[in-house]
Amino acid sequence: MAEKIKLEQSETRRRSLLKWAGVSSIVFLAGCQSIVPRGAEPPPPPTAAPTPAPVTAGIPTDQTHHRIALLVPLSGNNAGVGQSLANATTMALLDTKAENIRMTSYDTAKGVTAAAQQAIRDGNKLIIGPLLSDNVVATANIARPAGVPILSFSNDAGAAGNNVFLLGHIPSQSIERVIDYSKSKGMTRFAALVPNGVYGQRASSTLLRKVRDVGGTVVSVQTYNRDANSVEAATRKLAQNGDFQAVLIADNGDMAIKAAPYIRKNASSSAQILGTDLWNTSSKLAGSATMRGAWFASVSDGLYRQYADKYRARYGTAPFRLSSLGYDSVLLTVKVAQNWKVGTPFPINQLTDKGGFIGLDGVFRFMPNGISERALEVQEVRAGSFGVVDPAPKGF
């Protein structure tokens, strides 16, 4: 375990926590009436930022800090993303100068059950993490009886609810957003390629429901295994039930790059290609000529790019895209901590504020079922870059 504590500074003790957003170099967290300025210049690299205090033997007991547990994999196959999430939470604690929060990291790779049990024994009132959906279920079985809520990085909607809140981006929301935009451009006949498996089943269900809701028609939905022969065979079947104006590739950017040429060759030379927020993490997509003009919905990258610059300056490497969730989890906690008495249970009711919150990934809020709803923008694949064709709303 490694414990992150924001060191006391005499100047900041005279400042009200309500003004922490003014000193944060990236973003502030607030209700939906707050606005994050776009186009701001990236902040200069930090010169002499303090670092969290090292872990000492045992967990200190005090009456001045909120105890928060961070459950992430710090060893094993997922150590890279876990460490990136941990680094992001450290940055957020430093940027917000949150003196009343004590965060302790627990390595889920060494056993998520043991990590969760130790977190509860140490007196933590909130758990941030874990990363994997199976780990969320295991953690909830321990945290729920103790009355400790969970802010998980998972995007598995099946793990949400009953004091478990998901920070992860829900794929169905990006599908709904891009269908709405396509309909606004006059498209009513849709087709889709979806991978075999749970993700593909959920994507197909979302497409069918959303197209029906907007008054359109789903001409064809074809499934495939993730290999070239299967993808090509699926594209040949796409147009068997008639022409379509748009086709959704419900998969990551690499699979979209493989599928697009087959769509053009076997199914449609002109249909609009649509994608999900999985495309936002593809480093190859913007370099593919076949994908030019394709649309996908995702969170905005404006504030994330500023954060990534600062992260690289501090840690000497690029952050995982998912690490923004770690930063935002701390921003949310700091916001709630303004009206949270130390030693009392975490005020869960504040998480479902209909006005929502603002973070690196834009405006978001938690619905009563524990799933996060996010304001998404529609991006277009261009030559070497992505361009915004429909900005994300400023609030709900």
Side-chain angles (χ1 to χ4, degrees), residues 193 228-240 242-244 258-269:
L193 289 175
N229 291 335
S230 182
V231 171
E232 183 176 16
T235 60
R236 291 197 185 101
K237 299 177 183 178
L238 274 179
Q240 289 180 355
D243 295 334
F244 49 87
K258 293 178 181 178
Y262 293 127
I263 291 174
R264 295 300 184 220
K265 174 184 176 182
N266 300 323
S268 174
S269 61

mmCIF file with all atom_site columns, all heavy atoms in Angstrom, residues 193 228-240 242-244 258-269:
data_model
loop_
_atom_site.group_PDB
_atom_site.id
_atom_site.type_symbol
_atom_site.label_atom_id
_atom_site.label_alt_id
_atom_site.label_comp_id
_atom_site.label_asym_id
_atom_site.label_entity_id
_atom_site.label_seq_id
_atom_site.pdbx_PDB_ins_code
_atom_site.Cartn_x
_atom_site.Cartn_y
_atom_site.Cartn_z
_atom_site.occupancy
_atom_site.B_iso_or_equiv
_atom_site.pdbx_formal_charge
_atom_site.auth_seq_id
_atom_site.auth_comp_id
_atom_site.auth_asym_id
_atom_site.auth_atom_id
_atom_site.pdbx_PDB_model_num
ATOM 1   N N   . LEU A 1 193 ? -22.544 -3.764  -37.705 1.00 0.00 ? 193 LEU A N   1
ATOM 2   C CA  . LEU A 1 193 ? -21.648 -4.886  -37.495 1.00 0.00 ? 193 LEU A CA  1
ATOM 3   C C   . LEU A 1 193 ? -21.312 -4.918  -36.011 1.00 0.00 ? 193 LEU A C   1
ATOM 4   O O   . LEU A 1 193 ? -20.832 -3.906  -35.460 1.00 0.00 ? 193 LEU A O   1
ATOM 5   C CB  . LEU A 1 193 ? -20.358 -4.729  -38.294 1.00 0.00 ? 193 LEU A CB  1
ATOM 6   C CG  . LEU A 1 193 ? -20.419 -4.870  -39.819 1.00 0.00 ? 193 LEU A CG  1
ATOM 7   C CD1 . LEU A 1 193 ? -19.051 -4.565  -40.408 1.00 0.00 ? 193 LEU A CD1 1
ATOM 8   C CD2 . LEU A 1 193 ? -20.874 -6.272  -40.210 1.00 0.00 ? 193 LEU A CD2 1
ATOM 9   N N   . ALA A 1 228 ? -10.359 -11.440 -39.899 1.00 0.00 ? 228 ALA A N   1
ATOM 10  C CA  . ALA A 1 228 ? -10.658 -10.838 -41.207 1.00 0.00 ? 228 ALA A CA  1
ATOM 11  C C   . ALA A 1 228 ? -11.705 -11.618 -41.986 1.00 0.00 ? 228 ALA A C   1
ATOM 12  O O   . ALA A 1 228 ? -12.614 -11.031 -42.587 1.00 0.00 ? 228 ALA A O   1
ATOM 13  C CB  . ALA A 1 228 ? -9.366  -10.709 -42.018 1.00 0.00 ? 228 ALA A CB  1
ATOM 14  N N   . ASN A 1 229 ? -11.604 -12.940 -42.003 1.00 0.00 ? 229 ASN A N   1
ATOM 15  C CA  . ASN A 1 229 ? -12.553 -13.739 -42.773 1.00 0.00 ? 229 ASN A CA  1
ATOM 16  C C   . ASN A 1 229 ? -13.981 -13.581 -42.255 1.00 0.00 ? 229 ASN A C   1
ATOM 17  O O   . ASN A 1 229 ? -14.935 -13.470 -43.035 1.00 0.00 ? 229 ASN A O   1
ATOM 18  C CB  . ASN A 1 229 ? -12.152 -15.221 -42.736 1.00 0.00 ? 229 ASN A CB  1
ATOM 19  C CG  . ASN A 1 229 ? -10.883 -15.503 -43.505 1.00 0.00 ? 229 ASN A CG  1
ATOM 20  O OD1 . ASN A 1 229 ? -10.530 -14.761 -44.417 1.00 0.00 ? 229 ASN A OD1 1
ATOM 21  N ND2 . ASN A 1 229 ? -10.185 -16.574 -43.141 1.00 0.00 ? 229 ASN A ND2 1
ATOM 22  N N   . SER A 1 230 ? -14.136 -13.575 -40.944 1.00 0.00 ? 230 SER A N   1
ATOM 23  C CA  . SER A 1 230 ? -15.463 -13.435 -40.352 1.00 0.00 ? 230 SER A CA  1
ATOM 24  C C   . SER A 1 230 ? -16.036 -12.051 -40.618 1.00 0.00 ? 230 SER A C   1
ATOM 25  O O   . SER A 1 230 ? -17.227 -11.901 -40.921 1.00 0.00 ? 230 SER A O   1
ATOM 26  C CB  . SER A 1 230 ? -15.398 -13.702 -38.840 1.00 0.00 ? 230 SER A CB  1
ATOM 27  O OG  . SER A 1 230 ? -16.681 -13.606 -38.267 1.00 0.00 ? 230 SER A OG  1
ATOM 28  N N   . VAL A 1 231 ? -15.196 -11.022 -40.518 1.00 0.00 ? 231 VAL A N   1
ATOM 29  C CA  . VAL A 1 231 ? -15.653 -9.651  -40.783 1.00 0.00 ? 231 VAL A CA  1
ATOM 30  C C   . VAL A 1 231 ? -16.089 -9.513  -42.240 1.00 0.00 ? 231 VAL A C   1
ATOM 31  O O   . VAL A 1 231 ? -17.145 -8.928  -42.536 1.00 0.00 ? 231 VAL A O   1
ATOM 32  C CB  . VAL A 1 231 ? -14.540 -8.635  -40.454 1.00 0.00 ? 231 VAL A CB  1
ATOM 33  C CG1 . VAL A 1 231 ? -14.934 -7.237  -40.933 1.00 0.00 ? 231 VAL A CG1 1
ATOM 34  C CG2 . VAL A 1 231 ? -14.267 -8.617  -38.953 1.00 0.00 ? 231 VAL A CG2 1
ATOM 35  N N   . GLU A 1 232 ? -15.299 -10.035 -43.150 1.00 0.00 ? 232 GLU A N   1
ATOM 36  C CA  . GLU A 1 232 ? -15.660 -9.931  -44.567 1.00 0.00 ? 232 GLU A CA  1
ATOM 37  C C   . GLU A 1 232 ? -16.974 -10.651 -44.860 1.00 0.00 ? 232 GLU A C   1
ATOM 38  O O   . GLU A 1 232 ? -17.836 -10.137 -45.593 1.00 0.00 ? 232 GLU A O   1
ATOM 39  C CB  . GLU A 1 232 ? -14.546 -10.501 -45.444 1.00 0.00 ? 232 GLU A CB  1
ATOM 40  C CG  . GLU A 1 232 ? -14.844 -10.340 -46.930 1.00 0.00 ? 232 GLU A CG  1
ATOM 41  C CD  . GLU A 1 232 ? -13.710 -10.799 -47.823 1.00 0.00 ? 232 GLU A CD  1
ATOM 42  O OE1 . GLU A 1 232 ? -12.822 -11.521 -47.324 1.00 0.00 ? 232 GLU A OE1 1
ATOM 43  O OE2 . GLU A 1 232 ? -13.716 -10.434 -49.017 1.00 0.00 ? 232 GLU A OE2 1
ATOM 44  N N   . ALA A 1 233 ? -17.153 -11.830 -44.285 1.00 0.00 ? 233 ALA A N   1
ATOM 45  C CA  . ALA A 1 233 ? -18.391 -12.571 -44.498 1.00 0.00 ? 233 ALA A CA  1
ATOM 46  C C   . ALA A 1 233 ? -19.592 -11.797 -43.956 1.00 0.00 ? 233 ALA A C   1
ATOM 47  O O   . ALA A 1 233 ? -20.673 -11.780 -44.578 1.00 0.00 ? 233 ALA A O   1
ATOM 48  C CB  . ALA A 1 233 ? -18.306 -13.933 -43.821 1.00 0.00 ? 233 ALA A CB  1
ATOM 49  N N   . ALA A 1 234 ? -19.425 -11.135 -42.819 1.00 0.00 ? 234 ALA A N   1
ATOM 50  C CA  . ALA A 1 234 ? -20.525 -10.361 -42.238 1.00 0.00 ? 234 ALA A CA  1
ATOM 51  C C   . ALA A 1 234 ? -20.903 -9.182  -43.120 1.00 0.00 ? 234 ALA A C   1
ATOM 52  O O   . ALA A 1 234 ? -22.086 -8.849  -43.265 1.00 0.00 ? 234 ALA A O   1
ATOM 53  C CB  . ALA A 1 234 ? -20.132 -9.879  -40.844 1.00 0.00 ? 234 ALA A CB  1
ATOM 54  N N   . THR A 1 235 ? -19.912 -8.536  -43.743 1.00 0.00 ? 235 THR A N   1
ATOM 55  C CA  . THR A 1 235 ? -20.229 -7.384  -44.591 1.00 0.00 ? 235 THR A CA  1
ATOM 56  C C   . THR A 1 235 ? -20.998 -7.794  -45.842 1.00 0.00 ? 235 THR A C   1
ATOM 57  O O   . THR A 1 235 ? -21.811 -7.012  -46.361 1.00 0.00 ? 235 THR A O   1
ATOM 58  C CB  . THR A 1 235 ? -18.946 -6.635  -45.005 1.00 0.00 ? 235 THR A CB  1
ATOM 59  O OG1 . THR A 1 235 ? -18.089 -7.520  -45.745 1.00 0.00 ? 235 THR A OG1 1
ATOM 60  C CG2 . THR A 1 235 ? -18.203 -6.119  -43.787 1.00 0.00 ? 235 THR A CG2 1
ATOM 61  N N   . ARG A 1 236 ? -20.761 -9.010  -46.345 1.00 0.00 ? 236 ARG A N   1
ATOM 62  C CA  . ARG A 1 236 ? -21.505 -9.474  -47.525 1.00 0.00 ? 236 ARG A CA  1
ATOM 63  C C   . ARG A 1 236 ? -22.997 -9.625  -47.227 1.00 0.00 ? 236 ARG A C   1
ATOM 64  O O   . ARG A 1 236 ? -23.840 -9.501  -48.116 1.00 0.00 ? 236 ARG A O   1
ATOM 65  C CB  . ARG A 1 236 ? -20.945 -10.816 -48.004 1.00 0.00 ? 236 ARG A CB  1
ATOM 66  C CG  . ARG A 1 236 ? -19.554 -10.747 -48.607 1.00 0.00 ? 236 ARG A CG  1
ATOM 67  C CD  . ARG A 1 236 ? -19.274 -12.007 -49.410 1.00 0.00 ? 236 ARG A CD  1
ATOM 68  N NE  . ARG A 1 236 ? -17.907 -12.039 -49.899 1.00 0.00 ? 236 ARG A NE  1
ATOM 69  C CZ  . ARG A 1 236 ? -16.920 -12.747 -49.336 1.00 0.00 ? 236 ARG A CZ  1
ATOM 70  N NH1 . ARG A 1 236 ? -17.185 -13.470 -48.243 1.00 0.00 ? 236 ARG A NH1 1
ATOM 71  N NH2 . ARG A 1 236 ? -15.713 -12.744 -49.832 1.00 0.00 ? 236 ARG A NH2 1
ATOM 72  N N   . LYS A 1 237 ? -23.318 -9.893  -45.962 1.00 0.00 ? 237 LYS A N   1
ATOM 73  C CA  . LYS A 1 237 ? -24.712 -10.098 -45.581 1.00 0.00 ? 237 LYS A CA  1
ATOM 74  C C   . LYS A 1 237 ? -25.447 -8.785  -45.257 1.00 0.00 ? 237 LYS A C   1
ATOM 75  O O   . LYS A 1 237 ? -26.672 -8.779  -45.161 1.00 0.00 ? 237 LYS A O   1
ATOM 76  C CB  . LYS A 1 237 ? -24.788 -11.013 -44.356 1.00 0.00 ? 237 LYS A CB  1
ATOM 77  C CG  . LYS A 1 237 ? -24.197 -12.392 -44.572 1.00 0.00 ? 237 LYS A CG  1
ATOM 78  C CD  . LYS A 1 237 ? -24.248 -13.192 -43.271 1.00 0.00 ? 237 LYS A CD  1
ATOM 79  C CE  . LYS A 1 237 ? -23.603 -14.549 -43.429 1.00 0.00 ? 237 LYS A CE  1
ATOM 80  N NZ  . LYS A 1 237 ? -23.598 -15.320 -42.142 1.00 0.00 ? 237 LYS A NZ  1
ATOM 81  N N   . LEU A 1 238 ? -24.679 -7.705  -45.085 1.00 0.00 ? 238 LEU A N   1
ATOM 82  C CA  . LEU A 1 238 ? -25.282 -6.459  -44.624 1.00 0.00 ? 238 LEU A CA  1
ATOM 83  C C   . LEU A 1 238 ? -26.403 -5.958  -45.532 1.00 0.00 ? 238 LEU A C   1
ATOM 84  O O   . LEU A 1 238 ? -27.446 -5.509  -45.059 1.00 0.00 ? 238 LEU A O   1
ATOM 85  C CB  . LEU A 1 238 ? -24.210 -5.372  -44.482 1.00 0.00 ? 238 LEU A CB  1
ATOM 86  C CG  . LEU A 1 238 ? -23.432 -5.311  -43.166 1.00 0.00 ? 238 LEU A CG  1
ATOM 87  C CD1 . LEU A 1 238 ? -22.391 -4.198  -43.217 1.00 0.00 ? 238 LEU A CD1 1
ATOM 88  C CD2 . LEU A 1 238 ? -24.359 -5.102  -41.980 1.00 0.00 ? 238 LEU A CD2 1
ATOM 89  N N   . ALA A 1 239 ? -26.171 -5.999  -46.818 1.00 0.00 ? 239 ALA A N   1
ATOM 90  C CA  . ALA A 1 239 ? -27.119 -5.379  -47.748 1.00 0.00 ? 239 ALA A CA  1
ATOM 91  C C   . ALA A 1 239 ? -28.181 -6.341  -48.277 1.00 0.00 ? 239 ALA A C   1
ATOM 92  O O   . ALA A 1 239 ? -28.949 -5.983  -49.174 1.00 0.00 ? 239 ALA A O   1
ATOM 93  C CB  . ALA A 1 239 ? -26.357 -4.770  -48.916 1.00 0.00 ? 239 ALA A CB  1
ATOM 94  N N   . GLN A 1 240 ? -28.273 -7.532  -47.732 1.00 0.00 ? 240 GLN A N   1
ATOM 95  C CA  . GLN A 1 240 ? -29.233 -8.513  -48.241 1.00 0.00 ? 240 GLN A CA  1
ATOM 96  C C   . GLN A 1 240 ? -30.681 -8.095  -48.033 1.00 0.00 ? 240 GLN A C   1
ATOM 97  O O   . GLN A 1 240 ? -31.564 -8.513  -48.775 1.00 0.00 ? 240 GLN A O   1
ATOM 98  C CB  . GLN A 1 240 ? -28.988 -9.872  -47.583 1.00 0.00 ? 240 GLN A CB  1
ATOM 99  C CG  . GLN A 1 240 ? -27.703 -10.554 -48.045 1.00 0.00 ? 240 GLN A CG  1
ATOM 100 C CD  . GLN A 1 240 ? -27.484 -11.898 -47.387 1.00 0.00 ? 240 GLN A CD  1
ATOM 101 O OE1 . GLN A 1 240 ? -28.245 -12.303 -46.499 1.00 0.00 ? 240 GLN A OE1 1
ATOM 102 N NE2 . GLN A 1 240 ? -26.437 -12.607 -47.816 1.00 0.00 ? 240 GLN A NE2 1
ATOM 103 N N   . GLY A 1 242 ? -31.746 -4.900  -48.058 1.00 0.00 ? 242 GLY A N   1
ATOM 104 C CA  . GLY A 1 242 ? -32.006 -3.573  -48.610 1.00 0.00 ? 242 GLY A CA  1
ATOM 105 C C   . GLY A 1 242 ? -30.889 -2.590  -48.324 1.00 0.00 ? 242 GLY A C   1
ATOM 106 O O   . GLY A 1 242 ? -29.942 -2.881  -47.582 1.00 0.00 ? 242 GLY A O   1
ATOM 107 N N   . ASP A 1 243 ? -30.994 -1.422  -48.939 1.00 0.00 ? 243 ASP A N   1
ATOM 108 C CA  . ASP A 1 243 ? -29.984 -0.386  -48.758 1.00 0.00 ? 243 ASP A CA  1
ATOM 109 C C   . ASP A 1 243 ? -30.105 0.266   -47.386 1.00 0.00 ? 243 ASP A C   1
ATOM 110 O O   . ASP A 1 243 ? -31.171 0.275   -46.767 1.00 0.00 ? 243 ASP A O   1
ATOM 111 C CB  . ASP A 1 243 ? -30.132 0.684   -49.847 1.00 0.00 ? 243 ASP A CB  1
ATOM 112 C CG  . ASP A 1 243 ? -29.852 0.134   -51.237 1.00 0.00 ? 243 ASP A CG  1
ATOM 113 O OD1 . ASP A 1 243 ? -29.103 -0.864  -51.324 1.00 0.00 ? 243 ASP A OD1 1
ATOM 114 O OD2 . ASP A 1 243 ? -30.408 0.687   -52.212 1.00 0.00 ? 243 ASP A OD2 1
ATOM 115 N N   . PHE A 1 244 ? -29.006 0.836   -46.939 1.00 0.00 ? 244 PHE A N   1
ATOM 116 C CA  . PHE A 1 244 ? -29.004 1.575   -45.667 1.00 0.00 ? 244 PHE A CA  1
ATOM 117 C C   . PHE A 1 244 ? -28.170 2.835   -45.849 1.00 0.00 ? 244 PHE A C   1
ATOM 118 O O   . PHE A 1 244 ? -27.279 2.908   -46.698 1.00 0.00 ? 244 PHE A O   1
ATOM 119 C CB  . PHE A 1 244 ? -28.452 0.710   -44.526 1.00 0.00 ? 244 PHE A CB  1
ATOM 120 C CG  . PHE A 1 244 ? -27.151 0.027   -44.847 1.00 0.00 ? 244 PHE A CG  1
ATOM 121 C CD1 . PHE A 1 244 ? -25.934 0.660   -44.626 1.00 0.00 ? 244 PHE A CD1 1
ATOM 122 C CD2 . PHE A 1 244 ? -27.146 -1.258  -45.387 1.00 0.00 ? 244 PHE A CD2 1
ATOM 123 C CE1 . PHE A 1 244 ? -24.738 0.032   -44.930 1.00 0.00 ? 244 PHE A CE1 1
ATOM 124 C CE2 . PHE A 1 244 ? -25.946 -1.898  -45.686 1.00 0.00 ? 244 PHE A CE2 1
ATOM 125 C CZ  . PHE A 1 244 ? -24.741 -1.257  -45.457 1.00 0.00 ? 244 PHE A CZ  1
ATOM 126 N N   . LYS A 1 258 ? -10.269 -2.428  -40.022 1.00 0.00 ? 258 LYS A N   1
ATOM 127 C CA  . LYS A 1 258 ? -10.317 -3.670  -40.784 1.00 0.00 ? 258 LYS A CA  1
ATOM 128 C C   . LYS A 1 258 ? -11.647 -3.842  -41.514 1.00 0.00 ? 258 LYS A C   1
ATOM 129 O O   . LYS A 1 258 ? -11.705 -4.354  -42.638 1.00 0.00 ? 258 LYS A O   1
ATOM 130 C CB  . LYS A 1 258 ? -10.087 -4.861  -39.850 1.00 0.00 ? 258 LYS A CB  1
ATOM 131 C CG  . LYS A 1 258 ? -8.693  -4.933  -39.249 1.00 0.00 ? 258 LYS A CG  1
ATOM 132 C CD  . LYS A 1 258 ? -8.579  -6.118  -38.294 1.00 0.00 ? 258 LYS A CD  1
ATOM 133 C CE  . LYS A 1 258 ? -7.181  -6.166  -37.670 1.00 0.00 ? 258 LYS A CE  1
ATOM 134 N NZ  . LYS A 1 258 ? -7.055  -7.288  -36.701 1.00 0.00 ? 258 LYS A NZ  1
ATOM 135 N N   . ALA A 1 259 ? -12.734 -3.417  -40.865 1.00 0.00 ? 259 ALA A N   1
ATOM 136 C CA  . ALA A 1 259 ? -14.066 -3.646  -41.421 1.00 0.00 ? 259 ALA A CA  1
ATOM 137 C C   . ALA A 1 259 ? -14.442 -2.668  -42.523 1.00 0.00 ? 259 ALA A C   1
ATOM 138 O O   . ALA A 1 259 ? -15.162 -3.029  -43.471 1.00 0.00 ? 259 ALA A O   1
ATOM 139 C CB  . ALA A 1 259 ? -15.108 -3.588  -40.305 1.00 0.00 ? 259 ALA A CB  1
ATOM 140 N N   . ALA A 1 260 ? -13.996 -1.431  -42.435 1.00 0.00 ? 260 ALA A N   1
ATOM 141 C CA  . ALA A 1 260 ? -14.436 -0.392  -43.367 1.00 0.00 ? 260 ALA A CA  1
ATOM 142 C C   . ALA A 1 260 ? -14.188 -0.731  -44.838 1.00 0.00 ? 260 ALA A C   1
ATOM 143 O O   . ALA A 1 260 ? -15.094 -0.558  -45.674 1.00 0.00 ? 260 ALA A O   1
ATOM 144 C CB  . ALA A 1 260 ? -13.780 0.941   -43.007 1.00 0.00 ? 260 ALA A CB  1
ATOM 145 N N   . PRO A 1 261 ? -13.023 -1.226  -45.222 1.00 0.00 ? 261 PRO A N   1
ATOM 146 C CA  . PRO A 1 261 ? -12.819 -1.562  -46.642 1.00 0.00 ? 261 PRO A CA  1
ATOM 147 C C   . PRO A 1 261 ? -13.782 -2.635  -47.136 1.00 0.00 ? 261 PRO A C   1
ATOM 148 O O   . PRO A 1 261 ? -14.241 -2.587  -48.288 1.00 0.00 ? 261 PRO A O   1
ATOM 149 C CB  . PRO A 1 261 ? -11.366 -2.044  -46.682 1.00 0.00 ? 261 PRO A CB  1
ATOM 150 C CG  . PRO A 1 261 ? -10.713 -1.420  -45.500 1.00 0.00 ? 261 PRO A CG  1
ATOM 151 C CD  . PRO A 1 261 ? -11.772 -1.401  -44.455 1.00 0.00 ? 261 PRO A CD  1
ATOM 152 N N   . TYR A 1 262 ? -14.090 -3.609  -46.294 1.00 0.00 ? 262 TYR A N   1
ATOM 153 C CA  . TYR A 1 262 ? -15.032 -4.660  -46.683 1.00 0.00 ? 262 TYR A CA  1
ATOM 154 C C   . TYR A 1 262 ? -16.445 -4.100  -46.840 1.00 0.00 ? 262 TYR A C   1
ATOM 155 O O   . TYR A 1 262 ? -17.200 -4.531  -47.718 1.00 0.00 ? 262 TYR A O   1
ATOM 156 C CB  . TYR A 1 262 ? -15.035 -5.787  -45.650 1.00 0.00 ? 262 TYR A CB  1
ATOM 157 C CG  . TYR A 1 262 ? -13.744 -6.573  -45.596 1.00 0.00 ? 262 TYR A CG  1
ATOM 158 C CD1 . TYR A 1 262 ? -13.065 -6.751  -44.394 1.00 0.00 ? 262 TYR A CD1 1
ATOM 159 C CD2 . TYR A 1 262 ? -13.216 -7.149  -46.746 1.00 0.00 ? 262 TYR A CD2 1
ATOM 160 C CE1 . TYR A 1 262 ? -11.888 -7.480  -44.336 1.00 0.00 ? 262 TYR A CE1 1
ATOM 161 C CE2 . TYR A 1 262 ? -12.032 -7.878  -46.703 1.00 0.00 ? 262 TYR A CE2 1
ATOM 162 C CZ  . TYR A 1 262 ? -11.378 -8.035  -45.493 1.00 0.00 ? 262 TYR A CZ  1
ATOM 163 O OH  . TYR A 1 262 ? -10.213 -8.758  -45.456 1.00 0.00 ? 262 TYR A OH  1
ATOM 164 N N   . ILE A 1 263 ? -16.799 -3.144  -45.982 1.00 0.00 ? 263 ILE A N   1
ATOM 165 C CA  . ILE A 1 263 ? -18.122 -2.503  -46.114 1.00 0.00 ? 263 ILE A CA  1
ATOM 166 C C   . ILE A 1 263 ? -18.216 -1.798  -47.456 1.00 0.00 ? 263 ILE A C   1
ATOM 167 O O   . ILE A 1 263 ? -19.213 -1.930  -48.183 1.00 0.00 ? 263 ILE A O   1
ATOM 168 C CB  . ILE A 1 263 ? -18.361 -1.512  -44.960 1.00 0.00 ? 263 ILE A CB  1
ATOM 169 C CG1 . ILE A 1 263 ? -18.526 -2.257  -43.631 1.00 0.00 ? 263 ILE A CG1 1
ATOM 170 C CG2 . ILE A 1 263 ? -19.600 -0.654  -45.238 1.00 0.00 ? 263 ILE A CG2 1
ATOM 171 C CD1 . ILE A 1 263 ? -18.629 -1.346  -42.433 1.00 0.00 ? 263 ILE A CD1 1
ATOM 172 N N   . ARG A 1 264 ? -17.182 -1.072  -47.807 1.00 0.00 ? 264 ARG A N   1
ATOM 173 C CA  . ARG A 1 264 ? -17.185 -0.335  -49.071 1.00 0.00 ? 264 ARG A CA  1
ATOM 174 C C   . ARG A 1 264 ? -17.210 -1.296  -50.269 1.00 0.00 ? 264 ARG A C   1
ATOM 175 O O   . ARG A 1 264 ? -17.858 -1.030  -51.284 1.00 0.00 ? 264 ARG A O   1
ATOM 176 C CB  . ARG A 1 264 ? -15.952 0.572   -49.158 1.00 0.00 ? 264 ARG A CB  1
ATOM 177 C CG  . ARG A 1 264 ? -15.916 1.694   -48.132 1.00 0.00 ? 264 ARG A CG  1
ATOM 178 C CD  . ARG A 1 264 ? -17.108 2.587   -48.280 1.00 0.00 ? 264 ARG A CD  1
ATOM 179 N NE  . ARG A 1 264 ? -17.090 3.741   -47.369 1.00 0.00 ? 264 ARG A NE  1
ATOM 180 C CZ  . ARG A 1 264 ? -18.159 4.194   -46.746 1.00 0.00 ? 264 ARG A CZ  1
ATOM 181 N NH1 . ARG A 1 264 ? -19.330 3.581   -46.911 1.00 0.00 ? 264 ARG A NH1 1
ATOM 182 N NH2 . ARG A 1 264 ? -18.085 5.246   -45.977 1.00 0.00 ? 264 ARG A NH2 1
ATOM 183 N N   . LYS A 1 265 ? -16.546 -2.406  -50.157 1.00 0.00 ? 265 LYS A N   1
ATOM 184 C CA  . LYS A 1 265 ? -16.458 -3.359  -51.262 1.00 0.00 ? 265 LYS A CA  1
ATOM 185 C C   . LYS A 1 265 ? -17.707 -4.224  -51.389 1.00 0.00 ? 265 LYS A C   1
ATOM 186 O O   . LYS A 1 265 ? -18.212 -4.443  -52.506 1.00 0.00 ? 265 LYS A O   1
ATOM 187 C CB  . LYS A 1 265 ? -15.241 -4.263  -51.051 1.00 0.00 ? 265 LYS A CB  1
ATOM 188 C CG  . LYS A 1 265 ? -15.101 -5.395  -52.065 1.00 0.00 ? 265 LYS A CG  1
ATOM 189 C CD  . LYS A 1 265 ? -13.921 -6.293  -51.696 1.00 0.00 ? 265 LYS A CD  1
ATOM 190 C CE  . LYS A 1 265 ? -13.824 -7.485  -52.640 1.00 0.00 ? 265 LYS A CE  1
ATOM 191 N NZ  . LYS A 1 265 ? -12.700 -8.397  -52.259 1.00 0.00 ? 265 LYS A NZ  1
ATOM 192 N N   . ASN A 1 266 ? -18.253 -4.685  -50.278 1.00 0.00 ? 266 ASN A N   1
ATOM 193 C CA  . ASN A 1 266 ? -19.312 -5.693  -50.317 1.00 0.00 ? 266 ASN A CA  1
ATOM 194 C C   . ASN A 1 266 ? -20.715 -5.193  -50.000 1.00 0.00 ? 266 ASN A C   1
ATOM 195 O O   . ASN A 1 266 ? -21.687 -5.881  -50.340 1.00 0.00 ? 266 ASN A O   1
ATOM 196 C CB  . ASN A 1 266 ? -18.987 -6.821  -49.317 1.00 0.00 ? 266 ASN A CB  1
ATOM 197 C CG  . ASN A 1 266 ? -17.680 -7.511  -49.626 1.00 0.00 ? 266 ASN A CG  1
ATOM 198 O OD1 . ASN A 1 266 ? -17.332 -7.711  -50.778 1.00 0.00 ? 266 ASN A OD1 1
ATOM 199 N ND2 . ASN A 1 266 ? -16.958 -7.887  -48.575 1.00 0.00 ? 266 ASN A ND2 1
ATOM 200 N N   . ALA A 1 267 ? -20.835 -4.035  -49.322 1.00 0.00 ? 267 ALA A N   1
ATOM 201 C CA  . ALA A 1 267 ? -22.153 -3.635  -48.828 1.00 0.00 ? 267 ALA A CA  1
ATOM 202 C C   . ALA A 1 267 ? -22.609 -2.274  -49.324 1.00 0.00 ? 267 ALA A C   1
ATOM 203 O O   . ALA A 1 267 ? -23.721 -2.133  -49.835 1.00 0.00 ? 267 ALA A O   1
ATOM 204 C CB  . ALA A 1 267 ? -22.161 -3.656  -47.300 1.00 0.00 ? 267 ALA A CB  1
ATOM 205 N N   . SER A 1 268 ? -21.797 -1.259  -49.163 1.00 0.00 ? 268 SER A N   1
ATOM 206 C CA  . SER A 1 268 ? -22.200 0.093   -49.556 1.00 0.00 ? 268 SER A CA  1
ATOM 207 C C   . SER A 1 268 ? -20.972 0.954   -49.776 1.00 0.00 ? 268 SER A C   1
ATOM 208 O O   . SER A 1 268 ? -20.072 0.987   -48.939 1.00 0.00 ? 268 SER A O   1
ATOM 209 C CB  . SER A 1 268 ? -23.083 0.733   -48.475 1.00 0.00 ? 268 SER A CB  1
ATOM 210 O OG  . SER A 1 268 ? -23.347 2.086   -48.795 1.00 0.00 ? 268 SER A OG  1
ATOM 211 N N   . SER A 1 269 ? -20.969 1.662   -50.874 1.00 0.00 ? 269 SER A N   1
ATOM 212 C CA  . SER A 1 269 ? -19.838 2.540   -51.183 1.00 0.00 ? 269 SER A CA  1
ATOM 213 C C   . SER A 1 269 ? -20.023 3.937   -50.606 1.00 0.00 ? 269 SER A C   1
ATOM 214 O O   . SER A 1 269 ? -19.091 4.740   -50.623 1.00 0.00 ? 269 SER A O   1
ATOM 215 C CB  . SER A 1 269 ? -19.656 2.644   -52.698 1.00 0.00 ? 269 SER A CB  1
ATOM 216 O OG  . SER A 1 269 ? -20.826 3.199   -53.298 1.00 0.00 ? 269 SER A OG  1
#
